[in-house]
């Protein structure tokens, strides 16, 4: 993993990829800096000329009083992303000087690079805003009983300081709790839509801000797409009406880096899609699409581990030259046979 070490308020020091190897080869001058990795505005990445991997993961050092939620928001990461990348770190009270991983290396979803692409299992939005650039931001999507629908739609009307009309089902639930909800919530700090909303062609579905940013990166909405206030404000100013919005669900992604490394990312499947879903078979199908006619030396044990962990980390799938291939009675004829060998 490419790693940079920073304070959560700025640069503290840079950590090279494999420092030992760099010292041994005299390549330390080639170490990337924080500014080099983050030379574009928040969430913006140059599209690779080859491959489908963007960004670099790095680490930050917790300062006194920080929460993991604070750090995640500052570094364009959502709740589940930061939690899965740092399972041993307290969300609300991490110790000062703790090293925290920022998982910013990502495989682009397997979808047309046009307009907005929303990957539900990943809890992330991608926006192909101009030639050679992709933007990506953490989002919240619909919880299980209010699933965000998949499909292709478009942006329609943009509304600043929207009023919010709680749906009838929510008002009934509130009344049953003895807490009657208003029929209209005006713009202001109590409005769950935040200050900016982009309506979609699917009736009643929006991309909007929130008055509870700590929940961004979780499945907490009634189907709409929630974003950090600063992210939706940025999109609101720049996304034209009529922009294509492709809502997909890809819990497993795989792709090549520009220098020929095969990376995979796996996320927990949505609860409502788990019945009958075979994560490993899904991953194999996606790898087959990436490989085409070629079948590189994949570490199938690592693939199984990645799928079982489903923590969103971008992990290399290729065996190194030093690694001996897993012995097998005979050479597998396809990926399905290969993965069976390591069961």
């Amino acid at each position: 993993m490419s790693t940079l070490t920073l304070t959560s308020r700025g640069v503290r020091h840079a950590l090279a990829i494999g420092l030992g190897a760099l010292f041994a080869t005299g390549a330390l001058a080639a170490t990337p800096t924080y500014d080099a990795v983050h030379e574009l505005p928040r969430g913006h990445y140059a599209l690779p000329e080859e491959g489908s991997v963007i960004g670099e993961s790095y680490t930050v050092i917790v300062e006194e009083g920080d929460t993991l939620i604070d750090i995640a928001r500052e570094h364009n990461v959502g709740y589940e992303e930061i939690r899965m990348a740092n399972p041993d770190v307290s969300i609300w009270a991490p110790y000062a000087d703790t090293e925290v991983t920022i998982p910013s290396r990502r495989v682009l979803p397997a979808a047309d690079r046009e307009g907005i692409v929303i990957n539900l299992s990943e809890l992330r939005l991608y926006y192909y805003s101009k030639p050679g650039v992709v933007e990506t931001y953490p989002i919240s999507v619909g919880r299980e009983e209010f699933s965000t629908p998949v499909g292709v739609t478009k942006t329609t009307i943009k509304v600043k300081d929207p009023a919010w009309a709680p749906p009838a089902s929510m008002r009934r639930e509130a009344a049953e709790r003895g807490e009657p909800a208003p029929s209209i919530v005006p713009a202001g700090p109590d409005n769950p839509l935040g200050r900016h909303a982009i309506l979609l062609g699917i009736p009643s579905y929006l991309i909007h801000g929130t008055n509870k940013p700590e929940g961004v990166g979780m499945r907490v909405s009634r189907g709409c797409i929630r974003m950090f206030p600063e992210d939706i404000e940025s999109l609101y100013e720049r996304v034209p009406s009529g922009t294509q919005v492709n809502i997909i669900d890809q819990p497993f992604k795989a792709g090549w880096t520009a220098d020929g490394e095969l990376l995979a990312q796996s996320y927990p499947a949505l609860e409502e899609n788990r019945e009958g879903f075979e994560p490993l078979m899904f991953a194999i199908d996606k790898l087959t699409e990436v490989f085409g006619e070629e079948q590189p030396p994949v570490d199938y044990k690592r693939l199984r581990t990645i799928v079982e962990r489903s923590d969103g980390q971008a992990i290399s799938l290729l065996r190194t030259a030093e690694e001996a291939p897993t012995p097998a009675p005979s050479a597998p004829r396809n990926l399905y046979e290969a993965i069976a060998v390591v069961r």
Side-chain angles (χ1 to χ4, degrees):
M1 179 179 70
S2 175
T3 308
L4 302 177
T5 303
L6 327 161
T7 65
S8 61
R9 297 291 179 260
V11 180
R12 192 167 189 174
H13 63 276
L15 180 63
I17 307 171
L19 273 177
L22 287 172
F23 278 117
T25 60
L28 191 57
T31 302
T33 65
Y34 177 82
D35 288 339
V37 174
H38 298 79
E39 59 187 0
L40 297 176
R42 174 185 172 93
H44 290 59
Y45 296 88
L47 277 173
E49 294 183 4
E50 296 183 9
S52 56
V53 176
I54 59 171
E56 296 287 349
S57 293
Y58 55 95
T59 62
V60 300
I61 301 299
V62 175
E63 293 184 351
E64 191 69 41
D66 281 346
T67 70
L68 219 55
I69 303 300
D70 297 330
I71 294 170
R73 181 173 180 180
E74 182 176 349
H75 292 275
N76 192 35
V77 173
Y79 178 94
E80 289 295 339
E81 287 179 306
I82 200 74
R83 182 190 64 80
M84 292 191 298
N86 301 277
D88 299 324
V89 180
S90 169
I91 288 285
W92 296 107
Y95 291 110
D97 296 326
T98 298
E99 187 175 79
V100 171
T101 297
I102 305 298
S104 293
R105 198 177 200 197
R106 299 186 176 89
V107 178
L108 294 172
D112 290 342
R113 297 179 182 181
E114 175 185 353
I116 292 172
V117 175
I118 294 169
N119 190 7
L120 299 178
S121 289
E122 189 181 359
L123 295 167
R124 192 153 271 275
L125 176 150
Y126 294 83
Y127 176 37
Y128 296 92
S129 53
K130 56 185 177 182
V133 173
V134 61
E135 303 174 31
T136 182
Y137 306 99
I139 58 173
S140 289
V141 302
R143 57 188 187 269
E144 185 175 358
E145 61 269 35
F146 298 101
S147 302
T148 304
V150 299
V152 178
T153 183
K154 63 181 179 180
T155 62
T156 57
I157 300 170
K158 299 193 288 187
V159 182
K160 188 171 183 180
D161 293 322
W164 176 59
S169 60
M170 181 179 288
R171 295 201 302 273
R172 284 195 301 270
E173 292 170 6
E176 290 171 0
R177 296 193 304 268
E179 305 169 353
S183 57
I184 296 291
V185 177
D190 296 327
N191 191 314
L193 299 184
R195 298 202 59 196
H196 301 85
I198 302 174
L199 280 64
L200 301 179
I202 307 173
S204 302
Y205 288 90
L206 304 79
I207 303 173
H208 62 79
T210 178
N211 63 342
K212 296 180 178 179
E214 65 274 8
V216 171
M218 304 171 67
R219 296 193 66 191
V220 291
S221 81
R222 288 183 170 244
C224 288
I225 309 300
R226 294 184 187 175
M227 303 183 70
F228 283 129
E230 59 270 27
D231 295 338
I232 184 61
E233 181 177 5
S234 176
L235 286 187
Y236 181 93
E237 299 296 337
R238 297 179 294 109
V239 172
S241 296
T243 297
Q244 176 177 290
V245 178
N246 186 8
I247 304 175
I248 61 176
D249 183 28
Q250 292 179 7
F252 179 87
K253 303 182 299 177
W256 298 95
T257 65
D259 57 1
E261 183 181 13
L262 178 63
L263 297 184
Q265 288 181 285
S266 182
Y267 298 88
L270 301 179
E271 289 87 344
E272 61 271 25
N273 294 339
R274 291 178 183 174
E275 185 175 353
F277 177 67
E278 294 289 344
L280 193 55
M281 294 300 101
F282 182 87
I284 293 171
D285 287 339
K286 291 301 177 185
L287 281 177
T288 302
E289 294 173 8
V290 172
F291 293 162
E293 297 297 323
E294 301 293 329
Q295 185 172 323
V298 172
D299 186 327
Y300 295 106
K301 287 185 178 179
R302 190 178 302 165
L303 172 62
R304 177 182 289 278
T305 299
I306 291 169
V307 171
E308 289 175 351
R309 285 170 51 185
S310 291
D311 60 3
Q313 303 308 296
I315 305 295
S316 175
L317 278 181
L318 295 183
R319 290 194 302 267
T320 65
E322 293 78 18
E323 292 177 312
T326 303
S330 59
R333 290 172 294 179
N334 54 48
L335 278 173
Y336 294 94
E337 290 189 4
I339 202 69
V341 170
V342 298
R343 285 183 180 273

